[in-house]
Amino acid sequence: MSEVFKQIVSHCKEYGYIFQSSEIYDGLAAAYDYGPYGVLLKNNIREYWWKSMVQLHDNISGLDAAIFMHPETWKASGHVDAFNDPLIDNKDSKKRYRADVLIEEYIEKIRGKVDKEVSKAARRFGSDFVEEKFKKEHPRVSGYLQKIEAVRAEMARCMTEGDLQGLGKLINELEIADPASGSRNWTEVRQFNLMFSTQLGSVAGKEEKLYLRPETAQGIFVNFLNVANTTRARIPFGIAQTGKAFRNEIIARQFIFRMREFEQMEMQYFVRPGQEMEWYNYWKEFRMKWHLALGTPMEKLRYHDHDNLAHYANAAVDIEFEFPFGFKELEGIHSRTDFDLKRHQEFSGKKLQYFDSEINESYVPYVVETSIGLDRMFLALLSQAYQEDEVPDSEGKSSKRLVLKLPPALAPVKCAVLPLVKNKPELTQKATEIFNDLRYSFDCQYDEKDTIGRRYRRQDAIGTPYCVTVDFDSLEDNAVTIRERDTLEQHRIPIAEVEKVVREKTSMYHLLKKL
Ligand code: ATP
């Protein structure tokens, strides 16, 4: 784990964002609990997603389907037969890995070498440098790129054809070593189904196997007609849902990046067959805009087209974010064809067709989906917001501060109300009055412990965008000092305006307006 990633993890714990699940029993791997600030941030991210998808699109409606579904659902969706990851064990370290992830990490390493050579040459040649030409003509770099292509193609072939032996052979040929121990003593590659199961009913011998849903999408597919009929939706239309999903991940070592219980925010968009690529491109762009509106710099985001398409998809792209451990998938946009609805039609015996009055035809719609992990989004936001900078202390000397520069609309606490000193009832009473009024409008905090400097630091560490300080002048002029987290600017404003100013600056309105 990189140093900065470790710091983020410990910051999350220290400031009540995220705790290890069942920590007093030494924790449970890959399960996490969201603390007092974590739950607020998570709710705000979910709200931003929901409003941007449901509220801003008049043809998208919401749904909250059960986690348990009829077991046939998962046969129809292909998850019982094909929701597998290829796993490989190292015989010396006894550690288990995903074979495809080991190969991808190998590719990333070579890509790192290419990037290094490119930036070295760019520095050397200055304005004469043409990157594409250099990559083609430089023998070592073009060799690296050919290698990447060859490995990628072979991995894609193995994954698509389910060629486990081929994956194992590739790992051995590339001499990939166990990242933990350096050993190359590998077992064969085996398939591992990622679904958790449990039983329904208590009559011995009559239990029926149930699965915990590994994605929220299927709840939407089986309700497709219910929603279409009750909302009188006309194609194209979408159904959006957020909720827990469960996957028995083989490796789950990157904090909340990969968990066994996590939350997804998914939207399925039902379109006329043949029009799916148009909508695929629309959603690809819209979702990138959603990320950029948060102030995430473009360099931290990129598209990554899938090399090996899932059994149901005819086009798929990931939006990747540069986490502290490199670029990784944050969100997927998939064109799923009519695969799911057709399969549910087949397995349930019920017609899942839509009558398109514009062309006077009934058909099974095609589906374009957007699917993002709420927890992964949380980690992306935190890793970008977590910063250490220098600020002047009370004596004007420069001192370090830890600050979470979260987008104000998503910050857990919007405003902290702080009496300048603690033991002055006139001040604490005035501050309490302001706080008691503001809490009706947004999440707000009252704090009178410690020096004012320390309280500012604490609010910075939590990510509170505004602090309002009540001092002795406030008793006379009915005004307070409002301090802005990122610029540290301080202004004097009338108490009567605090609610309006903070609401205006932290409202989700501006974020949504950018879309
Ligand atoms: P990965 O390749 O990282 O396993 P995936 O391609 O299987 O992800 P999807 O099935 O496309 O993921 O799921 C959609 C989104 O759900 C992902 O983009 C990710 O944000 C989130 N997600 C998937 N698995 C997990 C997990 N184990 N923990 C947290 N979030 C997850």
Side-chain angles (χ1 to χ4, degrees), residues 98 247 249 257-259 262 264 329-330 371 373 376:
R98 254 172 70 177
R247 294 182 188 180
E249 298 281 0
F257 178 81
R258 191 177 298 288
M259 302 196 286
F262 58 100
Q264 286 187 317
E329 171 178 345
L330 173 58
S371 173
R376 246 181 228 190

Side-chain angles (χ1 to χ4, degrees), residues 469-471 473-481 492-495:
T469 308
V470 180
D471 55 23
D473 289 342
S474 308
L475 304 174
E476 307 296 325
D477 64 2
N478 261 323
V480 285
T481 303
R492 199 80 189 156
I493 58 167
I495 291 171

Side-chain angles (χ1 to χ4, degrees), residues 175-200:
E175 299 187 346
I176 295 177
D178 175 354
S181 66
S183 152
R184 293 192 177 85
N185 193 5
W186 296 110
T187 61
E188 315 239 288
V189 177
R190 284 174 292 147
Q191 286 292 29
F192 179 77
N193 192 286
L194 297 179
M195 281 202 293
F196 281 106
S197 64
T198 183
Q199 296 97 33
L200 175 73

Side-chain angles (χ1 to χ4, degrees), residues 79 83 85 98 100-101 104 194 214-215 245-247 249 251-252 255-266 306 312 318-319 328-334 369-377:
H79 283 83
F83 195 52
D85 271 344
R98 254 172 70 177
D100 55 328
V101 170
E104 257 160 25
L194 297 179
E215 61 176 27
F246 304 83
R247 294 182 188 180
E249 298 281 0
I251 39 158
F255 194 38
I256 56 168
F257 178 81
R258 191 177 298 288
M259 302 196 286
R260 300 207 166 94
E261 173 184 343
F262 58 100
E263 190 164 337
Q264 286 187 317
M265 305 190 286
E266 294 198 298
H306 281 212
Y312 49 74
D318 291 338
I319 293 180
K328 297 271 180 250
E329 171 178 345
L330 173 58
E331 163 153 21
I333 295 122
H334 312 128
E369 81 173 357
T370 72
S371 173
I372 176 167
L374 176 48
D375 314 84
R376 246 181 228 190
M377 185 59 208

Side-chain angles (χ1 to χ4, degrees), residues 52-177:
S52 69
M53 302 301 269
V54 182
Q55 193 171 309
L56 294 192
H57 290 89
D58 48 15
N59 61 349
I60 297 184
S61 30
L63 183 76
D64 185 13
I67 286 172
F68 287 140
M69 297 183 70
H70 192 285
E72 282 296 295
T73 312
W74 305 109
K75 286 188 193 150
S77 69
H79 283 83
V80 171
D81 290 333
F83 195 52
N84 301 320
D85 271 344
L87 72 82
I88 188 165
D89 291 295
N90 187 279
K91 290 184 197 160
D92 297 326
S93 71
K94 311 274 180 250
K95 286 212 183 272
R96 178 163 284 181
Y97 296 92
R98 254 172 70 177
D100 55 328
V101 170
L102 284 179
I103 299 169
E104 257 160 25
E105 284 171 358
Y106 174 88
I107 292 173
E108 276 310 305
K109 258 191 214 149
I110 309 187
R111 203 187 295 288
K113 289 185 190 172
V114 172
D115 291 346
K116 231 187 202 161
E117 296 270 8
V118 167
S119 49
K120 222 166 63 189
R123 271 200 306 275
R124 187 154 22 104
F125 296 115
S127 57
D128 293 338
F129 183 64
V130 184
E131 185 173 329
E132 283 318 305
K133 187 163 178 290
F134 172 77
K135 281 180 171 168
K136 239 185 243 152
E137 291 174 5
H138 190 281
R140 204 165 40 233
V141 171
S142 72
Y144 286 149
L145 289 171
Q146 277 166 20
K147 176 104 194 175
I148 290 178
E149 250 342 283
V151 174
R152 203 170 259 303
E154 175 60 5
M155 180 168 86
R157 185 198 65 75
C158 294
M159 294 295 283
T160 318
E161 293 173 11
D163 180 0
L164 300 180
Q165 258 187 346
L167 281 176
K169 199 163 150 241
L170 196 56
I171 287 176
N172 287 319
E173 274 172 12
L174 300 173
E175 299 187 346
I176 295 177

